[in-house]
Amino acid sequence: MTTIEVNDLYIAYGEKIAVLGVSFQARSGEVLTILGPNGAGKTSTVESIEGYRKPSKGSIKVLGLDPYADLSKLAPFIGVMLQNGGIYPRMTPLQALGLFHGYYKDPQEIDYLIKLTNLGPALKTPYRRLSGGEKQRLSLALAIIGRPKVVFLDEPTAGIDPEGRLAVREVIRDLKSQGVCVLLTTHELDEAERLSDRIIILDHGKIVAEGSPEDLMTAAHGDNIRFSAPVGLDLAELASAMDAKVVEERAGEYLVSTAAVPEQIARLTSFLASRNIAIGDIRAGRSSLEDVFFALTGKEMEPEASFTDKPRSRRRR
Amino acid sequence: MKPYLAQAKTEIKLALTQGESLLVTIGIPVIVLIGLSLTKALPLPSSAHSAADFLVPGTMTLAIMATGMVSTAIATGVERSYGVLKRLATTPLGRPALLLAKITSILVVEIIQLAVLAIIGILLGWHPTGNVVFFVISAVLATAGFAGIGLFMAGTMKSEVIIGAANGIYLILLFIGGIIMPISSLPGALEAFARLLPAAALSEALYHSAGIGGSVPLWAWLNLIIWAIAAPVLASKTFKWDQ
């Protein structure tokens, strides 16, 4: 069943256009991740689907409802984890869970959520004194307390502790098995690769790639060999030794466009050995998601970017 | 209904457990009432039979202003800057029920404040004559006006600015709101200015409906009605839910 349907979405802030004609769908039981560098339009897109802003153009349906116009009808069926904040600074996790428990018709048991997110030791600490990880875990618990059909997790692993990382994984696995649709944004490629059924890569407000993590990684460059070594190897010499094209993608990161077969790997290693060149690492076969991302956007993912990528002014509400 | 009740309970609890807020809503009005009743340090209107007849309605005005404006502005401003309002928008609570819960909390706190001041007032010789209906109407109108001002600040300013501005206005209106001394004892131009503000109108209305009796003057009613409409409208037009 299609749970989220986005059609030709445009979002503009005055002169600046943040999202340019984005369309995609997500089904129940699916984990869809939106990846993208700074200012790619991720948060604008997600917040429109959550009902926070009205699209400048295009349409959005969540569970068949327009999230901006019918937010009050939709709210009981969605769970939202904001990038940061969202909880009364003086409130303890126990009080916040109690309050949110009161909002929903058939809420999840509080004890279950405390165990799931391991909030036991912090239950009576006011929100403003919680660690970053505890804040994230509480926010996650509040996002699922109403047994939602659609869950939005905006950078759930930004600044999180290892416990929180595990909690996020466990919660997502749980939600998936219950047929919940999860829309995730993240800067962390590892998490995206591990958690997602499907990934959308956004850049400059447009979708530049879409598919399962495997699809994206195989489709990007096909077979190749990547390795890291000191900067400035003689590319022409290496290319003739390998009988293949070689480029230095980033300083010290080399890409050899050749079938990732043992013979070719042997040629590469013997070439390096004969010149006594140290190898950082070597990967043969499909590209990593990071390679895909870099190839498509020309940017590397930066974890700290999550705190600066949303437009701070000219919100509609 | 269930989300509203959960929210109202929380709003009341938060309002009654915040130290700085209690100082402004209950502490200062009580200190002013007791202190000035006993010392008679400031001028009283000639029409007052006792200090308490003037100071009880005056400190009740201060109390309503503190809860309606100062507490509402600061609490809601903090909620906005912490993203609480944004987060609540996507829960089944919704914005109308959130507003209703805030109004409920304001009224509950005001009832507690007014009861405390009335009890202390009686001990200090408060013998009110007046009209309970007019008392309630003017208190409700003024609450709407002050809450509108508070929400306007909460929805447009940064939370650090709000704390300063709300407390500053509270302090100014304490002196020119007919709360601790009649506005007739102010210099002419200042008196005319004070009559345009909601504090002086409320203290005048309460002075007649819960003090010396007699009818509430027309200017006070007009003032209260205009603020009760204009301030909430301004707040709702300018309110930004997240920053």
Side-chain angles (χ1 to χ4, degrees), chain A residues 11-16 18 44 47 53 308-317, chain B residues 80 240 242-243:
Chain A
I11 302 166
Y13 303 98
E15 298 282 289
K16 188 181 169 282
S44 296
E47 291 197 343
R53 46 181 104 246
T308 53
D309 78 333
K310 52 182 192 179
R312 296 239 162 232
S313 55
R314 300 205 203 137
R315 293 293 175 87
R316 291 192 65 115
R317 306 165 93 176
Chain B
R80 181 168 150 256
K240 293 196 193 72
D242 64 87
Q243 59 181 23

Side-chain angles (χ1 to χ4, degrees), chain B:
Chain B
M1 197 60 185
K2 191 187 159 207
Y4 157 74
L5 289 174
Q7 188 64 24
K9 227 171 79 185
T10 296
E11 296 273 348
I12 293 167
K13 202 170 160 195
L14 288 173
L16 294 177
T17 53
Q18 162 77 298
E20 295 95 320
S21 172
L22 287 175
L23 177 68
V24 172
T25 54
I26 295 182
I28 294 177
V30 165
I31 292 166
V32 167
L33 175 59
I34 296 175
L36 289 180
S37 296
L38 297 179
T39 61
K40 299 189 177 59
L42 288 170
L44 293 168
S46 50
S47 50
H49 309 297
S50 72
D53 284 351
F54 173 71
L55 288 168
V56 171
T59 49
M60 284 178 168
T61 299
L62 186 63
I64 290 169
M65 179 168 85
T67 299
M69 183 182 72
V70 183
S71 296
T72 303
I74 295 173
T76 312
V78 167
E79 288 160 20
R80 181 168 150 256
S81 69
Y82 269 77
V84 176
L85 299 180
K86 183 179 180 181
R87 179 65 184 87
L88 295 187
T90 50
T91 67
L93 175 69
R95 283 163 183 167
L98 172 64
L99 192 61
L100 210 61
K102 285 198 176 290
I103 294 170
T104 307
S105 158
I106 290 171
L107 294 178
V108 167
V109 174
E110 283 183 355
I111 289 168
I112 295 170
Q113 292 172 291
L114 298 183
V116 168
L117 291 169
I119 291 165
I120 296 172
I122 288 166
L123 297 174
L124 291 168
W126 179 47
H127 287 293
T129 46
N131 184 321
V132 179
V133 176
F134 287 166
F135 176 86
V136 172
I137 293 173
S138 51
V140 168
L141 285 174
T143 300
F146 282 127
I149 298 169
L151 290 174
F152 168 71
M153 291 198 268
T156 55
M157 300 174 182
K158 287 200 162 129
S159 59
E160 315 84 73
V161 178
I162 294 169
I163 294 173
N167 286 317
I169 296 173
Y170 176 84
L171 199 63
I172 292 167
L173 292 181
L174 174 66
F175 286 98
I176 68 166
I179 290 167
I180 53 173
M181 56 188 170
I183 55 171
S184 57
S185 61
L186 297 171
L190 194 56
E191 183 192 340
F193 173 66
R195 278 181 200 278
L196 299 175
L197 303 176
L202 178 61
S203 64
E204 186 76 24
L206 298 188
Y207 184 50
H208 290 287
S209 58
I212 59 161
S215 58
V216 176
L218 186 64
W219 72 265
W221 282 128
L222 285 176
N223 174 314
L224 290 174
I225 291 168
I226 290 169
W227 278 102
I229 295 168
V233 168
L234 180 69
S236 73
K237 296 262 180 225
T238 56
F239 205 92
K240 293 196 193 72
W241 288 85
D242 64 87
Q243 59 181 23

Side-chain angles (χ1 to χ4, degrees), chain A residues 12 24 27 64 70 74 89 103 105 113 122-123 136-137 173 202 218 230 236 244 259-260 265 290 297:
Chain A
F24 62 88
R27 294 180 300 277
D70 301 322
L74 185 60
Y103 290 156
K105 278 211 176 71
L113 291 170
L123 277 185
Q136 293 283 77
R137 283 185 268 139
R173 202 173 307 128
L202 269 190
T218 354
I265 296 170
E290 198 167 351
T297 66

